[in-house]
Amino acid sequence: MGISKILVVGATGYLGPFITAASVRLGHPTFALVRPATARPDSSKKELIESFKASGITILEGDIQDHESLVAALKQVDVVISTVGGAQLRDQLKLITAIKEVGHITRFLPSEFGNDPERSVRLKPTDAVFQGKVKIRNAIKAAGIPYTFVNSNSFASYFLASLGQRDLTTPPRDKLTILGDGNAKVIFNSEEDIGTFTIKAVDDPRTLNKQLLIRPEPNIKSINEAVLLWENKIGHNLEKTYVPESEVLKQIEGIPFPNNISLAISYSVMVKGDQYFEPGPDDVDASELYPDVKYTTVDEYLNRYL
Ligand SMILES: NC(=O)c1ccc[n+]([C@@H]2O[C@H](COP(=O)([O-])OP(=O)(O)OC[C@H]3O[C@@H](n4cnc5c(N)ncnc54)[C@H](OP(=O)(O)O)[C@@H]3O)[C@@H](O)[C@H]2O)c1
């Protein structure tokens, strides 16, 4: 087999464009399944779709709810990467049915791109995300579809750029709130690097039916360590307020949907340290497999905000 043809379902979301960009950059014929309304010339995503076309991506109109459109799209490709959002996780069962029906897909990467859902604390608000992802994992295995699960850990622009502040998009310069004691190890990756490592894995026999761990050593940092790096860059200390674990749990109970989900994920990541686990036999490390990838370190990433 030559270089695989890749279909991205969810290409017009937040993560999708980083995945399609990496797919094109690494030379894969790349296809995006786009909902008809999103593909229309009056859509708010018109410019994004135009940029896809300009970079050589083939737009296939379709919908995860429309079986025929899925089958028609799958017939054109070898590999499927789903980057659908939290609300569509369970709809991927329809994608699994279509992949099983066509029978020739060499790899399916479902919408994971975060914590290992089987190694993350179970709280009611995150059930839809973590349990939804586990359900899809089980359905893929039961269907005998070749897969790779991408354990990308924290998107840097969400968790590192804000130094863990859920209401900020750039690092604070005066004060910040730290969940727990701030010592749990978090793993931060730029979305560009997540795209690159993901695409590197799609044709690699070493990642077949494995979880790809994206955890370069310099990107494993506690919030306290990341804050210290930032303080050294800006030349002064921040005022820190630590929120004890019991108080974080109380807040998760008290705040409405959907903010309770993001706080519960932050609890898993920053208080429980769920991203930093001992790899098992089904895990492979992206930095070991692809030592040639020049990724952005946490230290370098923070320089973007100086
Ligand atoms: N690790 C982290 O820090 C982190 C942070 C955020 C997200 N994530 C994970 O990353 C993954 C992607 O999340 P995201 O935030 O990028 O998702 P998103 O922005 O919500 O994107 C959803 C995508 O799914 C498409 N879609 C929705 N309904 C569809 C349907 N019926 N048929 C076909 N496509 C449909 C949307 O298309 P339209 O453009 O037509 O709406 C859009 O392209 C998720 O698994 C999420 O849990 C991880």
Side-chain angles (χ1 to χ4, degrees):
M1 192 181 91
I3 192 161
S4 60
K5 295 181 200 152
I6 298 179
L7 173 70
V8 180
V9 179
T12 53
Y14 175 71
L15 180 64
F18 294 100
I19 302 290
T20 52
S23 176
V24 170
R25 188 162 19 89
L26 294 179
H28 292 266
T30 305
F31 299 73
L33 185 90
V34 179
R35 294 196 279 181
T38 308
R40 280 210 315 250
D42 60 346
S43 149
S44 62
K45 295 188 176 171
K46 177 176 180 276
E47 278 173 28
L48 178 63
I49 308 269
E50 287 308 316
S51 76
F52 281 170
K53 288 182 186 162
S55 67
I57 295 170
T58 305
I59 306 295
L60 302 174
E61 288 195 20
D63 193 305
I64 209 166
Q65 309 289 352
D66 173 357
H67 180 72
E68 294 312 316
S69 75
L70 290 182
V71 169
L74 293 175
K75 282 187 176 154
Q76 305 204 44
V77 300
D78 310 299
V79 166
V80 182
I81 304 177
S82 168
T83 56
V84 294
Q88 297 93 41
L89 290 176
R90 283 164 203 261
D91 293 335
Q92 293 178 107
L93 290 172
K94 298 181 172 141
L95 196 46
I96 292 170
T97 302
I99 291 173
K100 198 164 180 211
E101 182 177 315
V102 298
H104 69 274
I105 295 300
T106 54
R107 201 74 65 94
F108 176 41
L109 289 69
S111 193
E112 287 253 342
F113 304 105
N115 282 23
D116 178 340
E118 297 178 78
R119 285 167 164 129
S120 296
V121 62
R122 289 196 61 176
L123 290 180
K124 214 166 178 311
T126 41
D127 253 8
V129 180
F130 293 147
Q131 290 316 301
K133 289 182 178 179
V134 172
K135 190 174 176 187
I136 293 302
R137 285 184 170 200
N138 292 339
I140 292 168
K141 290 177 184 170
I145 294 169
Y147 63 84
T148 302
F149 302 141
V150 180
N151 175 244
S152 71
N153 298 304
S154 296
F155 293 178
S157 72
Y158 284 18
F159 288 88
L160 179 60
S162 64
L163 291 177
Q165 310 305 290
R166 284 174 311 110
D167 52 347
L168 296 183
T169 52
T170 56
R173 286 175 175 267
D174 48 358
K175 57 182 180 177
L176 87 168
T177 301
I178 294 177
L179 304 181
D181 63 13
N183 289 327
K185 294 289 185 191
V186 182
I187 305 172
F188 304 99
N189 289 304
S190 81
E191 287 82 339
E192 290 86 354
D193 296 336
I194 292 170
T196 306
F197 282 121
T198 298
I199 300 300
K200 284 274 195 186
V202 299
D203 292 335
D204 188 340
R206 298 171 299 176
T207 60
L208 176 63
N209 298 344
K210 299 282 185 198
Q211 171 166 242
L212 180 74
L213 308 181
I214 306 181
R215 46 161 64 183
E217 211 279 325
N219 291 3
I220 305 173
K221 292 262 181 282
S222 69
I223 287 289
N224 285 337
E225 289 167 337
V227 170
L228 184 60
L229 272 175
W230 178 241
E231 288 175 333
N232 287 338
K233 288 180 193 298
I234 61 174
H236 66 266
N237 291 347
L238 305 182
E239 184 192 321
K240 304 172 192 78
T241 305
Y242 289 88
V243 185
E245 178 171 354
S246 57
E247 177 58 27
V248 180
L249 285 168
K250 232 188 276 169
Q251 288 180 11
I252 293 169
E253 292 279 313
I255 57 171
F257 172 88
N259 288 343
N260 59 346
I261 298 182
S262 60
L263 186 57
I265 290 176
S266 296
Y267 171 76
S268 160
V269 171
M270 291 186 268
V271 181
K272 302 308 284 181
D274 285 338
Q275 296 182 335
Y276 193 58
F277 52 80
E278 192 59 43
D282 294 332
D283 301 314
V284 287
D285 188 311
S287 312
E288 286 171 16
L289 296 183
Y290 314 115
D292 54 312
V293 172
K294 173 92 192 66
Y295 58 83
T296 303
T297 64
V298 163
D299 189 31
E300 289 162 350
Y301 192 91
L302 286 171
N303 289 340
R304 295 184 184 183
Y305 300 98
L306 286 177

